[in-house]
Amino acid sequence: MTKMPAATVSEALATRLSVRDFLPAPVPLPLLQSILTKAARAPSGGNLQPWHISVLTGAPLETLLQAVSLRQAEMPKGEAAEYPVYPANLGSPYAERRFKIGEDMYALLGIARADRDGRRAWFARNFRLFGAPVGMFCFVDRQMGAAQFSDLGMFLQSVMLLLREAGLDSCAQEAWSMFSPTIYQVLGTPANHMLFCGLAIGWRRPDAAVNTLVSDRADLEDFACFQGFQP
Ligand SMILES: Cc1cc2nc3c(=O)[nH]c(=O)nc-3n(C[C@H](O)[C@H](O)[C@H](O)COP(=O)(O)O)c2cc1C
């Protein structure tokens, strides 16, 4: 898996993966500003552009990470979740997919299923952004619904592909929704904004085993059907 910049959209798609071990090297502000400006060309129903973004590095990021870490010590299961990250009774084949990606990742890390403390400690690395120097937090106006969450997804994917074009990597993180009240407090988030997810941004650590995790995808015929085409 290359960490070279992607030259085409196909290359950006092929080389994007959730990176979970980053180098501490800083990311220049003008680069992030340019990426977010370009990503805002993402389409949205009715051109609502319902995304609201906070990008943190340095001292403000450390303040947030510290606050969340303190909260996590008090409430390891998180504060009140604002939206269901997964449906309550996740059915097949989704439950199996979710289980498999977790098991594949822990196998690479050498953390056994029985090692609950090891898995908890690894999960907690979410709240250090896996060592990334930049955290991007995505909010949506509370009046929005499912359709606008999908708009946010298009914006996010655009950011992630543009990051690849610049040689950077990322990991989307819904885990942050577990501590949204603390995030609102530290960032002074307007009351009408709701956190969707975080995005760890930085350069991947090339020798980290966890960064070699290649997630499965269903075959084309399992999720798409085509009708009316000439053979
Ligand atoms: C909206 C969103 C939220 C995610 N939240 C987390 C998270 O909290 N922690 C994590 O380690 N990975 C998270 N992921 C990464 C997914 O597990 C990952 O995208 C999926 O397994 C496919 O792997 P890939 O991104 O490497 O292709 C998230 C991905 C998305 C799109």
Side-chain angles (χ1 to χ4, degrees):
M1 190 68 69
T2 178
K3 73 179 181 74
M4 296 295 289
T8 63
V9 176
S10 295
E11 224 173 278
L13 280 161
T15 62
R16 188 217 55 81
L17 78 165
S18 293
V19 163
R20 296 186 179 89
D21 197 343
F22 290 86
L23 298 169
V27 181
L29 175 62
L31 179 56
L32 290 171
Q33 288 171 321
S34 157
I35 286 173
L36 264 62
T37 303
K38 289 178 190 171
R41 295 306 308 171
S44 54
N47 201 23
L48 297 192
Q49 306 163 65
W51 42 79
H52 297 272
I53 308 295
S54 286
V55 191
L56 282 77
T57 194
L61 177 61
E62 197 46 43
T63 301
L64 178 68
L65 300 187
Q66 288 290 338
V68 170
S69 155
L70 283 176
R71 204 70 184 115
Q72 204 196 355
E74 292 162 359
M75 302 185 76
K77 293 196 170 150
E79 300 168 317
E82 291 233 79
Y83 66 93
V85 170
Y86 299 108
N89 294 304
L90 194 59
S92 187
Y94 312 108
E96 292 85 346
R97 290 176 183 167
R98 185 182 173 200
F99 179 79
K100 180 153 192 308
I101 189 67
E103 290 308 307
D104 287 351
M105 185 183 76
Y106 286 120
L108 263 181
L109 291 163
I111 306 175
R113 198 160 167 67
D115 183 2
R116 293 185 164 226
D117 287 346
R119 289 194 173 197
R120 252 194 297 272
W122 173 264
F123 181 76
R125 282 176 47 82
N126 267 289
F127 305 113
R128 295 299 309 173
L129 290 162
F130 302 113
V134 174
M136 181 179 116
F137 296 87
C138 309
F139 303 86
V140 65
D141 199 295
R142 285 178 190 280
Q143 65 185 297
M144 304 299 175
Q148 289 76 39
F149 265 71
S150 97
D151 295 338
L152 224 57
M154 285 187 270
F155 175 84
L156 264 174
Q157 171 75 332
S158 302
V159 170
M160 291 191 274
L161 297 183
L162 288 161
L163 287 167
R164 283 306 304 119
E165 188 185 56
L168 283 154
D169 283 293
S170 61
C171 183
Q173 296 179 279
E174 275 162 341
W176 287 101
S177 65
M178 291 168 62
F179 293 100
S180 40
T182 297
I183 294 170
Y184 301 150
Q185 197 185 4
V186 175
L187 299 188
T189 306
N192 59 319
H193 289 180
M194 185 175 98
L195 181 71
F196 168 42
C197 70
L199 186 74
I201 297 175
W203 278 275
R204 79 178 73 171
R205 191 180 292 283
D207 52 349
V210 72
N211 291 342
T212 64
L213 176 62
V214 179
S215 52
D216 295 339
R217 292 296 186 273
D219 292 334
L220 180 64
E221 55 271 27
D222 290 337
F223 69 88
C225 70
F226 300 89
Q227 297 182 25
F229 294 91
Q230 299 301 320

mmCIF file of all heavy atoms in Angstrom, residues 16-20 83 85-86 97 101-102 105 122-123 126 130 156 160 170-176 196-198 213-217, ligand 1:
data_model
loop_
_atom_site.group_PDB
_atom_site.id
_atom_site.type_symbol
_atom_site.label_atom_id
_atom_site.label_comp_id
_atom_site.label_asym_id
_atom_site.label_seq_id
_atom_site.Cartn_x
_atom_site.Cartn_y
_atom_site.Cartn_z
ATOM 1 N N ARG A 16 -6.590 5.042 -0.231
ATOM 2 C CA ARG A 16 -7.172 5.518 1.032
ATOM 3 C C ARG A 16 -7.517 4.326 1.910
ATOM 4 O O ARG A 16 -8.063 3.337 1.443
ATOM 5 C CB ARG A 16 -8.457 6.336 0.780
ATOM 6 C CG ARG A 16 -8.979 6.998 2.067
ATOM 7 C CD ARG A 16 -10.476 7.022 2.145
ATOM 8 N NE ARG A 16 -11.072 5.724 1.995
ATOM 9 C CZ ARG A 16 -11.167 4.819 2.979
ATOM 10 N NH1 ARG A 16 -10.733 5.080 4.186
ATOM 11 N NH2 ARG A 16 -11.715 3.627 2.731
ATOM 12 N N LEU A 17 -7.151 4.393 3.120
ATOM 13 C CA LEU A 17 -7.567 3.396 4.100
ATOM 14 C C LEU A 17 -7.596 4.102 5.439
ATOM 15 O O LEU A 17 -7.089 5.223 5.562
ATOM 16 C CB LEU A 17 -6.623 2.184 4.120
ATOM 17 C CG LEU A 17 -5.285 2.319 4.841
ATOM 18 C CD1 LEU A 17 -4.674 0.956 5.061
ATOM 19 C CD2 LEU A 17 -4.339 3.204 4.071
ATOM 20 N N SER A 18 -8.208 3.479 6.409
ATOM 21 C CA SER A 18 -8.234 4.080 7.737
ATOM 22 C C SER A 18 -6.881 3.840 8.384
ATOM 23 O O SER A 18 -6.547 2.710 8.737
ATOM 24 C CB SER A 18 -9.359 3.457 8.565
ATOM 25 O OG SER A 18 -10.596 3.830 8.018
ATOM 26 N N VAL A 19 -6.116 4.920 8.492
ATOM 27 C CA VAL A 19 -4.778 4.846 9.088
ATOM 28 C C VAL A 19 -4.925 5.013 10.601
ATOM 29 O O VAL A 19 -5.614 5.917 11.071
ATOM 30 C CB VAL A 19 -3.857 5.906 8.446
ATOM 31 C CG1 VAL A 19 -2.620 6.166 9.289
ATOM 32 C CG2 VAL A 19 -3.457 5.442 7.048
ATOM 33 N N ARG A 20 -4.327 4.101 11.348
ATOM 34 C CA ARG A 20 -4.482 4.133 12.808
ATOM 35 C C ARG A 20 -3.137 4.205 13.528
ATOM 36 O O ARG A 20 -3.010 3.827 14.681
ATOM 37 C CB ARG A 20 -5.306 2.928 13.272
ATOM 38 C CG ARG A 20 -6.743 2.955 12.728
ATOM 39 C CD ARG A 20 -7.600 1.844 13.293
ATOM 40 N NE ARG A 20 -8.964 1.877 12.802
ATOM 41 C CZ ARG A 20 -9.395 1.270 11.693
ATOM 42 N NH1 ARG A 20 -8.543 0.582 10.938
ATOM 43 N NH2 ARG A 20 -10.661 1.347 11.322
ATOM 44 N N TYR A 83 -26.628 10.160 18.632
ATOM 45 C CA TYR A 83 -27.316 9.457 17.542
ATOM 46 C C TYR A 83 -26.838 8.009 17.585
ATOM 47 O O TYR A 83 -25.734 7.739 18.089
ATOM 48 C CB TYR A 83 -27.012 10.095 16.175
ATOM 49 C CG TYR A 83 -25.573 9.966 15.733
ATOM 50 C CD1 TYR A 83 -25.173 8.903 14.923
ATOM 51 C CD2 TYR A 83 -24.605 10.881 16.126
ATOM 52 C CE1 TYR A 83 -23.843 8.762 14.528
ATOM 53 C CE2 TYR A 83 -23.280 10.756 15.731
ATOM 54 C CZ TYR A 83 -22.913 9.700 14.935
ATOM 55 O OH TYR A 83 -21.603 9.545 14.542
ATOM 56 N N VAL A 85 -24.886 5.170 16.558
ATOM 57 C CA VAL A 85 -23.771 4.950 15.622
ATOM 58 C C VAL A 85 -24.063 3.709 14.769
ATOM 59 O O VAL A 85 -23.774 3.687 13.574
ATOM 60 C CB VAL A 85 -22.434 4.822 16.383
ATOM 61 C CG1 VAL A 85 -21.314 4.351 15.459
ATOM 62 C CG2 VAL A 85 -22.054 6.176 16.985
ATOM 63 N N TYR A 86 -24.661 2.687 15.381
ATOM 64 C CA TYR A 86 -25.143 1.522 14.635
ATOM 65 C C TYR A 86 -26.582 1.265 15.056
ATOM 66 O O TYR A 86 -26.962 1.616 16.177
ATOM 67 C CB TYR A 86 -24.316 0.263 14.960
ATOM 68 C CG TYR A 86 -22.863 0.389 14.604
ATOM 69 C CD1 TYR A 86 -21.902 0.524 15.598
ATOM 70 C CD2 TYR A 86 -22.451 0.374 13.280
ATOM 71 C CE1 TYR A 86 -20.554 0.650 15.274
ATOM 72 C CE2 TYR A 86 -21.107 0.504 12.957
ATOM 73 C CZ TYR A 86 -20.171 0.644 13.958
ATOM 74 O OH TYR A 86 -18.851 0.771 13.643
ATOM 75 N N ARG A 97 -19.849 -8.328 9.114
ATOM 76 C CA ARG A 97 -18.800 -7.451 8.565
ATOM 77 C C ARG A 97 -18.143 -6.645 9.683
ATOM 78 O O ARG A 97 -16.924 -6.478 9.719
ATOM 79 C CB ARG A 97 -19.398 -6.506 7.521
ATOM 80 C CG ARG A 97 -19.812 -7.219 6.255
ATOM 81 C CD ARG A 97 -20.484 -6.253 5.304
ATOM 82 N NE ARG A 97 -20.961 -6.946 4.111
ATOM 83 C CZ ARG A 97 -21.790 -6.425 3.216
ATOM 84 N NH1 ARG A 97 -22.235 -5.185 3.377
ATOM 85 N NH2 ARG A 97 -22.171 -7.114 2.165
ATOM 86 N N ILE A 101 -14.052 -6.956 10.655
ATOM 87 C CA ILE A 101 -13.032 -5.897 10.547
ATOM 88 C C ILE A 101 -12.343 -5.713 11.904
ATOM 89 O O ILE A 101 -11.120 -5.513 11.965
ATOM 90 C CB ILE A 101 -13.611 -4.557 10.010
ATOM 91 C CG1 ILE A 101 -12.501 -3.555 9.710
ATOM 92 C CG2 ILE A 101 -14.637 -3.927 10.927
ATOM 93 C CD1 ILE A 101 -11.589 -3.915 8.586
ATOM 94 N N GLY A 102 -13.104 -5.840 12.985
ATOM 95 C CA GLY A 102 -12.509 -5.735 14.322
ATOM 96 C C GLY A 102 -11.518 -6.870 14.567
ATOM 97 O O GLY A 102 -10.386 -6.638 15.005
ATOM 98 N N MET A 105 -8.374 -6.495 12.534
ATOM 99 C CA MET A 105 -7.479 -5.456 13.065
ATOM 100 C C MET A 105 -6.743 -5.967 14.311
ATOM 101 O O MET A 105 -5.522 -5.832 14.419
ATOM 102 C CB MET A 105 -8.271 -4.192 13.396
ATOM 103 C CG MET A 105 -7.380 -3.053 13.843
ATOM 104 S SD MET A 105 -8.305 -1.600 14.317
ATOM 105 C CE MET A 105 -8.928 -2.101 15.909
ATOM 106 N N TRP A 122 -6.410 -0.255 23.296
ATOM 107 C CA TRP A 122 -6.256 0.098 21.882
ATOM 108 C C TRP A 122 -7.388 1.026 21.454
ATOM 109 O O TRP A 122 -7.146 2.045 20.811
ATOM 110 C CB TRP A 122 -6.224 -1.151 20.982
ATOM 111 C CG TRP A 122 -6.245 -0.708 19.557
ATOM 112 C CD1 TRP A 122 -7.346 -0.610 18.743
ATOM 113 C CD2 TRP A 122 -5.142 -0.181 18.803
ATOM 114 N NE1 TRP A 122 -6.990 -0.065 17.521
ATOM 115 C CE2 TRP A 122 -5.649 0.202 17.540
ATOM 116 C CE3 TRP A 122 -3.779 0.011 19.084
ATOM 117 C CZ2 TRP A 122 -4.841 0.755 16.545
ATOM 118 C CZ3 TRP A 122 -2.974 0.561 18.088
ATOM 119 C CH2 TRP A 122 -3.507 0.920 16.843
ATOM 120 N N PHE A 123 -8.623 0.694 21.849
ATOM 121 C CA PHE A 123 -9.774 1.530 21.470
ATOM 122 C C PHE A 123 -9.578 2.962 21.967
ATOM 123 O O PHE A 123 -9.920 3.926 21.277
ATOM 124 C CB PHE A 123 -11.081 0.935 22.016
ATOM 125 C CG PHE A 123 -12.280 1.742 21.629
ATOM 126 C CD1 PHE A 123 -12.790 1.676 20.333
ATOM 127 C CD2 PHE A 123 -12.878 2.619 22.534
ATOM 128 C CE1 PHE A 123 -13.878 2.460 19.958
ATOM 129 C CE2 PHE A 123 -13.967 3.407 22.158
ATOM 130 C CZ PHE A 123 -14.470 3.318 20.872
ATOM 131 N N ASN A 126 -8.249 5.886 19.952
ATOM 132 C CA ASN A 126 -9.130 6.762 19.164
ATOM 133 C C ASN A 126 -9.060 8.191 19.694
ATOM 134 O O ASN A 126 -9.039 9.149 18.921
ATOM 135 C CB ASN A 126 -10.592 6.284 19.276
ATOM 136 C CG ASN A 126 -11.007 5.338 18.174
ATOM 137 O OD1 ASN A 126 -11.159 5.749 17.013
ATOM 138 N ND2 ASN A 126 -11.182 4.067 18.515
ATOM 139 N N PHE A 130 -5.035 8.462 17.254
ATOM 140 C CA PHE A 130 -4.027 7.512 16.763
ATOM 141 C C PHE A 130 -2.685 8.202 16.497
ATOM 142 O O PHE A 130 -1.947 7.827 15.591
ATOM 143 C CB PHE A 130 -4.518 6.783 15.508
ATOM 144 C CG PHE A 130 -5.806 6.024 15.705
ATOM 145 C CD1 PHE A 130 -6.967 6.414 15.063
ATOM 146 C CD2 PHE A 130 -5.857 4.932 16.552
ATOM 147 C CE1 PHE A 130 -8.156 5.716 15.251
ATOM 148 C CE2 PHE A 130 -7.047 4.226 16.753
ATOM 149 C CZ PHE A 130 -8.194 4.616 16.094
ATOM 150 N N LEU A 156 -16.957 14.450 3.573
ATOM 151 C CA LEU A 156 -15.862 13.737 4.249
ATOM 152 C C LEU A 156 -15.028 12.916 3.283
ATOM 153 O O LEU A 156 -13.798 12.922 3.338
ATOM 154 C CB LEU A 156 -16.454 12.777 5.281
ATOM 155 C CG LEU A 156 -16.537 13.259 6.709
ATOM 156 C CD1 LEU A 156 -17.276 12.224 7.549
ATOM 157 C CD2 LEU A 156 -15.147 13.497 7.280
ATOM 158 N N MET A 160 -11.092 13.124 2.407
ATOM 159 C CA MET A 160 -10.166 11.985 2.538
ATOM 160 C C MET A 160 -9.419 11.724 1.226
ATOM 161 O O MET A 160 -8.230 11.397 1.240
ATOM 162 C CB MET A 160 -10.928 10.741 3.003
ATOM 163 C CG MET A 160 -11.416 10.881 4.434
ATOM 164 S SD MET A 160 -12.048 9.343 5.159
ATOM 165 C CE MET A 160 -13.728 9.358 4.610
ATOM 166 N N SER A 170 -5.800 9.592 6.704
ATOM 167 C CA SER A 170 -6.866 9.962 7.636
ATOM 168 C C SER A 170 -7.505 8.723 8.238
ATOM 169 O O SER A 170 -7.314 7.613 7.747
ATOM 170 C CB SER A 170 -7.938 10.771 6.886
ATOM 171 O OG SER A 170 -8.489 9.974 5.844
ATOM 172 N N CYS A 171 -8.283 8.953 9.278
ATOM 173 C CA CYS A 171 -9.185 7.907 9.803
ATOM 174 C C CYS A 171 -10.435 8.608 10.306
ATOM 175 O O CYS A 171 -10.369 9.444 11.223
ATOM 176 C CB CYS A 171 -8.539 7.123 10.943
ATOM 177 S SG CYS A 171 -9.588 5.771 11.547
ATOM 178 N N ALA A 172 -11.575 8.298 9.688
ATOM 179 C CA ALA A 172 -12.850 8.824 10.192
ATOM 180 C C ALA A 172 -13.126 8.152 11.536
ATOM 181 O O ALA A 172 -12.811 6.981 11.725
ATOM 182 C CB ALA A 172 -13.965 8.528 9.199
ATOM 183 N N GLN A 173 -13.699 8.893 12.471
ATOM 184 C CA GLN A 173 -13.875 8.364 13.827
ATOM 185 C C GLN A 173 -15.219 8.777 14.435
ATOM 186 O O GLN A 173 -15.360 9.889 14.941
ATOM 187 C CB GLN A 173 -12.772 8.890 14.737
ATOM 188 C CG GLN A 173 -11.364 8.456 14.381
ATOM 189 C CD GLN A 173 -10.390 9.080 15.353
ATOM 190 O OE1 GLN A 173 -10.004 10.237 15.219
ATOM 191 N NE2 GLN A 173 -10.023 8.333 16.370
ATOM 192 N N GLU A 174 -16.163 7.841 14.375
ATOM 193 C CA GLU A 174 -17.433 8.081 15.072
ATOM 194 C C GLU A 174 -17.259 7.935 16.579
ATOM 195 O O GLU A 174 -18.123 8.357 17.341
ATOM 196 C CB GLU A 174 -18.502 7.100 14.576
ATOM 197 C CG GLU A 174 -19.194 7.589 13.331
ATOM 198 C CD GLU A 174 -19.926 6.489 12.581
ATOM 199 O OE1 GLU A 174 -19.626 5.304 12.791
ATOM 200 O OE2 GLU A 174 -20.791 6.822 11.772
ATOM 201 N N ALA A 175 -16.148 7.334 16.993
ATOM 202 C CA ALA A 175 -15.895 7.139 18.428
ATOM 203 C C ALA A 175 -16.040 8.456 19.198
ATOM 204 O O ALA A 175 -16.481 8.469 20.351
ATOM 205 C CB ALA A 175 -14.496 6.561 18.641
ATOM 206 N N TRP A 176 -15.704 9.566 18.546
ATOM 207 C CA TRP A 176 -15.769 10.858 19.231
ATOM 208 C C TRP A 176 -17.183 11.210 19.671
ATOM 209 O O TRP A 176 -17.373 12.014 20.590
ATOM 210 C CB TRP A 176 -15.211 11.976 18.337
ATOM 211 C CG TRP A 176 -13.728 11.904 18.209
ATOM 212 C CD1 TRP A 176 -13.020 11.396 17.150
ATOM 213 C CD2 TRP A 176 -12.747 12.303 19.173
ATOM 214 N NE1 TRP A 176 -11.673 11.461 17.398
ATOM 215 C CE2 TRP A 176 -11.472 12.021 18.632
ATOM 216 C CE3 TRP A 176 -12.820 12.886 20.441
ATOM 217 C CZ2 TRP A 176 -10.290 12.296 19.316
ATOM 218 C CZ3 TRP A 176 -11.642 13.159 21.124
ATOM 219 C CH2 TRP A 176 -10.397 12.863 20.565
ATOM 220 N N PHE A 196 -21.053 14.828 14.300
ATOM 221 C CA PHE A 196 -21.203 13.557 13.569
ATOM 222 C C PHE A 196 -19.982 12.683 13.843
ATOM 223 O O PHE A 196 -20.092 11.602 14.390
ATOM 224 C CB PHE A 196 -21.396 13.819 12.075
ATOM 225 C CG PHE A 196 -21.274 12.581 11.211
ATOM 226 C CD1 PHE A 196 -21.839 11.375 11.607
ATOM 227 C CD2 PHE A 196 -20.600 12.624 10.004
ATOM 228 C CE1 PHE A 196 -21.725 10.232 10.817
ATOM 229 C CE2 PHE A 196 -20.487 11.490 9.203
ATOM 230 C CZ PHE A 196 -21.044 10.288 9.620
ATOM 231 N N CYS A 197 -18.784 13.175 13.498
ATOM 232 C CA CYS A 197 -17.587 12.343 13.722
ATOM 233 C C CYS A 197 -16.337 13.212 13.728
ATOM 234 O O CYS A 197 -16.384 14.391 13.386
ATOM 235 C CB CYS A 197 -17.470 11.259 12.643
ATOM 236 S SG CYS A 197 -17.054 11.883 11.009
ATOM 237 N N GLY A 198 -15.238 12.578 14.113
ATOM 238 C CA GLY A 198 -13.923 13.204 14.003
ATOM 239 C C GLY A 198 -13.196 12.609 12.813
ATOM 240 O O GLY A 198 -13.618 11.580 12.257
ATOM 241 N N LEU A 213 -3.706 -3.015 7.330
ATOM 242 C CA LEU A 213 -5.033 -3.657 7.332
ATOM 243 C C LEU A 213 -5.811 -3.289 6.069
ATOM 244 O O LEU A 213 -6.072 -2.111 5.821
ATOM 245 C CB LEU A 213 -5.822 -3.198 8.577
ATOM 246 C CG LEU A 213 -7.259 -3.675 8.708
ATOM 247 C CD1 LEU A 213 -7.340 -5.195 8.794
ATOM 248 C CD2 LEU A 213 -7.917 -3.050 9.935
ATOM 249 N N VAL A 214 -6.111 -4.302 5.267
ATOM 250 C CA VAL A 214 -6.921 -4.062 4.061
ATOM 251 C C VAL A 214 -8.308 -4.631 4.337
ATOM 252 O O VAL A 214 -8.477 -5.845 4.488
ATOM 253 C CB VAL A 214 -6.293 -4.722 2.810
ATOM 254 C CG1 VAL A 214 -7.164 -4.465 1.586
ATOM 255 C CG2 VAL A 214 -4.882 -4.171 2.575
ATOM 256 N N SER A 215 -9.285 -3.743 4.436
ATOM 257 C CA SER A 215 -10.646 -4.170 4.783
ATOM 258 C C SER A 215 -11.313 -4.849 3.588
ATOM 259 O O SER A 215 -11.053 -4.491 2.438
ATOM 260 C CB SER A 215 -11.448 -2.954 5.233
ATOM 261 O OG SER A 215 -11.347 -1.933 4.263
ATOM 262 N N ASP A 216 -12.192 -5.818 3.878
ATOM 263 C CA ASP A 216 -12.918 -6.531 2.813
ATOM 264 C C ASP A 216 -13.959 -5.624 2.175
ATOM 265 O O ASP A 216 -14.408 -4.658 2.792
ATOM 266 C CB ASP A 216 -13.698 -7.722 3.410
ATOM 267 C CG ASP A 216 -12.775 -8.776 3.996
ATOM 268 O OD1 ASP A 216 -11.602 -8.813 3.607
ATOM 269 O OD2 ASP A 216 -13.259 -9.557 4.843
ATOM 270 N N ARG A 217 -14.355 -5.982 0.980
ATOM 271 C CA ARG A 217 -15.534 -5.378 0.345
ATOM 272 C C ARG A 217 -16.357 -6.480 -0.288
ATOM 273 O O ARG A 217 -15.800 -7.469 -0.778
ATOM 274 C CB ARG A 217 -15.139 -4.357 -0.738
ATOM 275 C CG ARG A 217 -14.478 -3.095 -0.223
ATOM 276 C CD ARG A 217 -15.406 -2.251 0.669
ATOM 277 N NE ARG A 217 -14.786 -0.977 1.033
ATOM 278 C CZ ARG A 217 -13.981 -0.788 2.080
ATOM 279 N NH1 ARG A 217 -13.706 -1.791 2.882
ATOM 280 N NH2 ARG A 217 -13.460 0.399 2.323
HETATM 281 C C1 LIG B 1 -18.131 7.721 9.496
HETATM 282 C C2 LIG B 1 -17.071 6.741 9.894
HETATM 283 C C3 LIG B 1 -16.757 6.561 11.225
HETATM 284 C C4 LIG B 1 -15.738 5.691 11.615
HETATM 285 N N1 LIG B 1 -15.415 5.588 12.953
HETATM 286 C C5 LIG B 1 -14.298 4.897 13.305
HETATM 287 C C6 LIG B 1 -13.821 4.952 14.644
HETATM 288 O O1 LIG B 1 -14.406 5.575 15.525
HETATM 289 N N2 LIG B 1 -12.663 4.309 14.928
HETATM 290 C C7 LIG B 1 -11.967 3.594 13.983
HETATM 291 O O2 LIG B 1 -10.910 3.032 14.307
HETATM 292 N N3 LIG B 1 -12.411 3.515 12.703
HETATM 293 C C8 LIG B 1 -13.537 4.162 12.339
HETATM 294 N N4 LIG B 1 -13.971 4.145 11.035
HETATM 295 C C9 LIG B 1 -13.211 3.390 10.036
HETATM 296 C C10 LIG B 1 -13.958 2.165 9.526
HETATM 297 O O3 LIG B 1 -13.804 1.111 10.432
HETATM 298 C C11 LIG B 1 -13.376 1.815 8.149
HETATM 299 O O4 LIG B 1 -13.675 2.850 7.243
HETATM 300 C C12 LIG B 1 -13.895 0.505 7.577
HETATM 301 O O5 LIG B 1 -13.564 -0.571 8.397
HETATM 302 C C13 LIG B 1 -13.298 0.267 6.182
HETATM 303 O O6 LIG B 1 -11.884 0.290 6.247
HETATM 304 P P1 LIG B 1 -11.007 1.323 5.419
HETATM 305 O O7 LIG B 1 -11.419 2.704 5.815
HETATM 306 O O8 LIG B 1 -9.596 1.036 5.842
HETATM 307 O O9 LIG B 1 -11.252 1.081 3.962
HETATM 308 C C14 LIG B 1 -15.024 4.960 10.624
HETATM 309 C C15 LIG B 1 -15.352 5.136 9.280
HETATM 310 C C16 LIG B 1 -16.360 6.007 8.910
HETATM 311 C C17 LIG B 1 -16.671 6.198 7.452
#
